[in-house]
Amino acid sequence: MTQTRRSYRRRKNVTVVSLLLLVLAVVLGPTPSSAAGTDWWNPTARPTPDVQVNVTGEPFTGTNSAGEVRGFVDAHNHLFSNEAFGGRLICGKVFSEAGVADALKDCPEHYPDGTLAIFDYITHGGDGKHDPVGWPTFKDWPAYDSMTHQANYYAWIERAWRGGQRVLVNDLVTNGVICSVYPFKDRGCDEMTSIRLQARMTYALQDYIDKMYGGTGKGWFRIVTDSAQAREVIKQGKLAVILGVETSEPFGCKQILDIPQCSKADIDKGLDELYSLGVRSMFLCHKFDNALCGVRFDSGGLGTAINVGQFLSTGTFWQTEKCTGPQHDNPIGNATSEAEDDLPAGVEVPSYDSDAQCNKRGLTELGEYAVHAMEKRKMMLEIDHMSVKAVGQALDIFEADSYPGVLSSHSWMDLNWTERVYSLGGFVAQYMHGSEGFVAEAARTKALRDKYGVGYGFGTDFNGIGDHPAPRGADTANKVTYPFKSVDGGSVIDRQTSGERTFDYNTDGAAMVGMIPDWIEDIRKVGGQDVVDDLFRGAESYLDTWGATEQHQASVNLANGRTATASSSESNPFTSYQPGRAVDGDDSTRWASDWSDDQWWQVDLGSTNLVSRVTLDWERAYGKSYRIELSTDGSTWQTVWSTTSGDGGLDTAKFSGTPARYVRVHGLDRGTDWGYSLYEVGVHSA
């Protein structure tokens, strides 16, 4: 540090008292920070030997001039999937007390030449052969197109952090059926047991890194359980780690021949346990239809393999139907897969029509309960992997409740839903595609990000079932040039060296998580600074969504228990369909009109209120064309919202706040041959 020169006239004599005060200040004052010359970002005791980080310079700390955190967010990664699927599907460890040679070694069945790397050739074709040796040569792995080798070694994660990443979502992941059919395993296949283990291992990794930095809380890898903690961690320049869950049968909620194997009590118990583990976001279904929701299909040979697993898990194959809107699930296709050999004799994967790309299965009754249960716990719902029917229903629920906790973390949501997610206050990240594809998709949604003032994220899905960006080639015109500066300009990033191998993004692509800074530099070279700037605002936007979710308060339903009237009510000797049934707080009762058009239902709120949102939970007899009308006196009506394309389910009508005592739903055209029928109507001020 350079001290300010002072004039001789202002200098005072040093006394014994001032010396004592100086000593006390040194003893009791704050620990010197990096500004005082300490390299807080470097460990005091890194294991030797180890892979290198190859980033120099101090990681950025603090916030920007607007008080916002900065940094990239990897919204979808699987650090410990090596502990999943029976423990032998992903080879290698994130860390090991015995050192890098123990952590980064192949599965024993992959020796001597990878012939038994069955999962590789089931999902990719070929013969799966490769050099199994990891440390120190790394001849064939990690690689951008390998699904079976550890890509999340802790020092590679450290490189991503040093390169500007500030949020990491670690999705605890497994699949009981894949575990059961895979021939190599060293543990059982219960999904929740694996989730618990992976959570413990994440905390163990935090402890492992803390020890390198001198004790508890001193490392850069910080698990956080609320958005305020995350902001504080990022202000310190460290990595905020959030736990999520991506599994096919959460809480044991599988279905066999369409019969649920779990209850509402199981859902509540399971969510409470996950929350206590630190989990704050999760998927309700993944790969296989379960008792909660239908899934978004996989395509190609992998899709066929997953569909086989669906049958082995549930007793049914995926079932498709024609889509009712522009949204659609991934096409299944009719590609063959080695996995078909696992089917019972005489059972075959069905063929699918190319014009029927939507899963018949949406949110089940238990699935709707789970969504509401997550709302109660202020948890965020991951909607990637849900069928478009299920996503639409989930967004309907969130819109009815003005709930912002919705995430699309790796491009598996139908992109037609993007604005619905943003309008709720949710967060969107794109899969870690190659730079050209990533830039093109980022450009397609740029106007929406500008409209809603949000940043962008990426989901790497390392240690998941997916390829990563391939090398663009050493001779490409706009290749990554080493060394280069980090986005904030404060660090210098060179080629990454692991043992005897040095990785170059131009020739190796995104071989592992440590190549994230190189990939972002490649994006800058291909797409310019704007898309990188959006990514650099990703951490702030993710935390905005999380914070808004934590602060969400359910609004008061002004219509609950109030007096309701209607143009007609269906007569039934066994039950009542009177108007009051739609405001009794019981979603199993309903109002139903006569079987004709031009019907209305209205509620008296008891006094004039500012009304801006009306929610309608339709029974199968829904309104295709209807309008929402408001009145202060019950005689003069104002139309504030209308539609001619109603499709039933849960509808939310939003409009500018308008004074009203009376609210009327005016049906003009029925969606069925029956009348109009509503389970519940909600009227809200905000």
Side-chain angles (χ1 to χ4, degrees), residues 33 129 154 291 313 321 400 430 477 491 503 539 571 578 601 612 621 646:
S33 67
K129 289 187 177 181
Y154 91 91
S313 173
E321 63 184 7
Q430 187 187 157
S491 297
F503 290 86
S571 177
Q578 292 300 304
W601 173 99
S612 61

Side-chain angles (χ1 to χ4, degrees), residues 336-364:
T336 60
S337 169
E338 296 283 344
E340 293 176 89
D341 294 341
D342 293 323
L343 290 171
V347 177
E348 296 182 353
V349 177
S351 297
Y352 294 95
D353 294 334
S354 60
D355 63 345
Q357 291 188 9
C358 281
N359 194 335
K360 287 185 177 181
R361 195 176 186 87
L363 272 183
T364 66

Side-chain angles (χ1 to χ4, degrees), residues 21 99 161 195 207 249 267 275 281 299 548 573 616 678:
L21 290 174
W161 159 63
I195 295 302
D207 294 341
E249 298 167 0
I267 293 170
Y275 195 90
S281 66
S299 300
L616 308 171
L678 289 161

